[in-house]
Amino acid sequence: MERNTCMILALDVTDREEALKIAEDVWEFVDAIKVGYPLVLATGLDIIRELAEFAPIIADFKVADIPNTNRLICDQVFEAGADAIIVQGFTGRDSLDACIEIASEYRKDVFVVSEMSHPGGAEFLQPAAEAIAKIALEAGAFGLVAPATRPERVKKIRKIIGDKLTIISPGVGAQGGKASDVIAAGADWVIVGRSIYKAESPKEAACEIAEEIRAELCGE
Ligand code: O7E
């Protein structure tokens, strides 16, 4: 995945036409579109190929099963045209290895959730986040998911993984995180949903956040 705007759109709408319209409006401001359960359950898996016309697609199914089931899920997702998949790391190394094995057959990427952005993410997942980051590194994942709502945690996780893995970071805007803060903390991409797709003008909202990130990276 190329790093230009450093922003990923979380397209959590449930209407096909609306999804396609937003993608058409904002594609130039995002490096990828994240598609998850809300949109796929509402419209079907074919939406992945339709949206792939606009940007690379990250399939957010937070895969969390035994190795064999993970393999079957990843196979379906990559057959559907996704460029990357998001999986959970708490299920352990063998489950993660199964996802990475299928992804490498398709030459696609795996992102591993290390810590979640909502308040409950600090309950069970945060204590395991650093160990999850280490197994993701050893297993050969492409990147980690770390919370924009806690830039200090992004900084800590970046220290553990160095430059060997990328970090994508949800929680900007509606959940209280600030894009420039989390990019400064070491995230490669921020993930933004409601602040864009619920805005009166998704295009203007995306443009504004992209500009904030650009200014941070240029030290303005
Ligand atoms: O709050 P929003 O509307 O900007 O949307 C954030 C998106 O990121 C939404 O799709 C949500 O499911 C996802 N997300 C989090 O908000 N927090 C997490 O910890 C993890 C994710 C996620 O996407 O995981 C994989 C990146």
Side-chain angles (χ1 to χ4, degrees):
M1 212 163 82
E2 272 185 49
R3 198 165 166 252
N4 291 312
T5 63
C6 302
M7 181 157 56
I8 295 165
L9 170 68
L11 196 46
D12 295 326
V13 297
T14 52
D15 179 81
R16 176 181 168 274
E17 303 301 325
E18 188 185 359
L20 293 171
K21 170 82 175 72
I22 294 169
E24 193 178 356
D25 281 353
V26 311
W27 67 268
E28 63 191 297
F29 302 110
V30 300
D31 289 337
I33 298 174
K34 184 177 81 71
V35 171
Y37 291 111
L39 183 57
V40 169
L41 291 176
T43 66
L45 206 50
D46 288 348
I47 193 74
I48 290 181
R49 227 177 276 285
E50 288 190 275
L51 288 168
E53 300 279 321
F54 300 101
I57 302 299
I58 302 176
D60 177 12
F61 294 122
K62 298 187 183 70
V63 184
D65 217 310
I66 59 167
N68 186 59
T69 310
N70 278 4
R71 237 176 252 122
L72 294 168
I73 295 169
C74 290
D75 201 41
Q76 291 299 313
V77 166
F78 292 128
E79 275 300 312
D83 298 282
I85 190 162
I86 293 171
V87 310
Q88 288 287 7
F90 66 74
T91 43
R93 179 67 192 267
D94 53 351
S95 291
L96 178 54
D97 281 344
C99 297
I100 290 176
E101 179 193 310
I102 299 294
S104 50
E105 279 172 22
Y106 283 88
R107 297 175 186 272
K108 305 291 185 186
D109 296 324
V110 171
F111 290 97
V112 182
V113 179
S114 59
E115 178 175 329
M116 295 188 75
S117 59
H118 61 310
E123 254 175 87
F124 300 111
L125 213 42
Q126 191 181 78
E130 290 161 35
I132 292 172
K134 282 181 194 146
I135 66 157
L137 184 60
E138 288 163 13
F142 178 69
L144 291 175
V145 181
T149 47
R150 297 182 209 101
E152 75 287 357
R153 295 290 301 156
V154 172
K155 214 176 216 173
K156 174 91 190 175
I157 287 167
R158 172 57 76 200
K159 226 178 205 167
I160 293 170
I161 59 174
D163 289 333
K164 296 191 186 89
L165 294 182
T166 58
I167 296 179
I168 58 176
S169 192
V172 164
Q175 295 180 53
K178 189 162 165 49
S180 47
D181 288 351
V182 74
I183 291 290
D188 295 285
W189 286 277
V190 294
I191 299 173
V192 188
R194 284 164 287 179
S195 298
I196 295 177
Y197 68 74
K198 283 199 165 172
E200 204 170 306
S201 164
K203 186 172 183 165
E204 276 173 31
C207 177
E208 216 168 276
I209 303 167
E211 175 51 29
E212 179 192 327
I213 295 169
R214 193 203 59 76
E216 172 62 37
L217 290 171
C218 297
E220 286 170 11

